[in-house]
Every structure is written in structure tokens, then in C-alpha cells.
Amino acid sequence: MSGIFGIIRRDGGTVSSEELERLGVAMAHRGPDGKDFWLEGYAGLGQLMLRSTPESADEKLPWQDTESGLVITADARIDNREELLGKLSGLNSLLPDSQLILEAFKLWGEACVDHLLGDYAFAIWDLRNRRLFCVRDRMGGGSFCY
């Protein structure tokens, strides 16, 4: 399982790359296939990648959708991809699970979890509304600490 992490400064202070780097080092065993982070002012999200599906071969996380102002980091394997792709028409069938989740979030908001089947934990930061949405699947196979 990949590792996801982040810092949101509710007091308006800035998050440093050094802070995110330290979190990544502490969880390094979770991501043998690389690490990266996204940082903007008082918010930062990180990813330690373990590529486990064909769709994740070229996946880069955290990923920012500049059009919507949403940023996602995820440890996800979505099992009902075909069903979701049918509901979210016009998407590339090779879209990584994280971006599929983000498209579901853009359509259904927090109710997107009612449409997801699989093993997942993810965090979506909404830049415009300064809101963080974090969730893990109902079975809770992976740990999620905050």
C-alpha cells in the first residue's frame, strides 16, 4: 500500500517542504516506487508511491486539477472502474484510480464514496474553498491517521 500524508495549517502559517520531507522519510517504507509532494502556502499533500495496478504505471501524485482547484493524493484500488467510467462518460479508460476518484468527487461531492468500491484512502484539498475531504473505504483495510 502506498502512503499519503499532508499538513494543513489552520492558523494560516505556511507549510515548508522540509516538514513534508520529514513526513515522507518517516513513512518511506510505504513507497518504494517514488515520492512527491504538492505545496501551496498553508497546505501541503504528499505521496509515497507503490504502483500496484496497470493504471498506476505513470500516475503522479499528488495531482492538481487546475480547472477545478482540487488537489488529490490517494492510495487507491477502485474495483468498479467500468461502472464508474460509464457514469462519468467521456473519460479515458486508462485514467489512474486517483483521477477517477477526483472526477467522481467533482460530480457527486462527498457522496462520491457511495459510488466507490475498492480499497482506498484519499485526501482532496479544495483550494478555492479551503476545505479538506479525507476518507478511507468502509472496510478500513489500511490505516488512516489524522
Side-chain angles (χ1 to χ4, degrees):
M1 301 292 294
S2 297
I4 63 174
F5 55 93
I7 301 172
I8 306 295
R9 295 252 188 258
R10 296 179 69 187
D11 63 2
T14 59
V15 176
S16 72
S17 58
E18 291 80 16
E19 290 173 299
L20 288 174
E21 187 67 36
R22 282 195 303 271
L23 286 173
V25 167
M27 300 173 56
H29 64 284
R30 303 288 260 158
D33 297 329
K35 67 178 175 179
D36 205 353
F37 56 84
W38 170 90
L39 179 64
E40 185 171 307
Y42 55 88
L45 298 176
Q47 174 79 23
L48 296 159
M49 183 67 74
L50 173 62
R51 299 187 190 289
S52 59
T53 66
E55 297 83 15
S56 69
D58 296 319
E59 187 174 27
K60 182 187 177 321
L61 288 170
W63 186 75
Q64 180 177 356
D65 179 25
T66 54
E67 197 172 293
S68 67
L70 300 172
V71 182
I72 187 169
T73 192
D75 175 20
R77 186 201 71 244
I78 300 301
D79 295 332
N80 63 329
R81 289 181 57 80
E82 294 305 317
E83 177 187 343
L84 278 175
L85 287 166
K87 292 178 180 179
L88 302 166
S89 61
L91 298 179
N92 182 333
S93 63
L94 297 177
L95 198 66
D97 288 344
S98 59
Q99 290 181 29
L100 192 56
I101 291 167
L102 193 62
E103 291 299 323
F105 182 80
K106 287 164 48 177
L107 180 61
W108 295 301
E110 293 179 9
C112 69
V113 298
D114 297 332
H115 301 270
L116 302 176
L117 296 176
D119 184 11
Y120 58 83
F122 62 88
I124 297 175
W125 174 245
D126 183 337
L127 284 159
R128 294 181 184 144
N129 296 306
R130 298 180 181 183
R131 187 170 173 168
L132 181 66
F133 178 63
C134 302
V135 69
R136 73 173 188 182
D137 64 272
R138 289 177 179 93
M139 296 299 289
S143 59
F144 191 86
C145 304
Y146 62 95

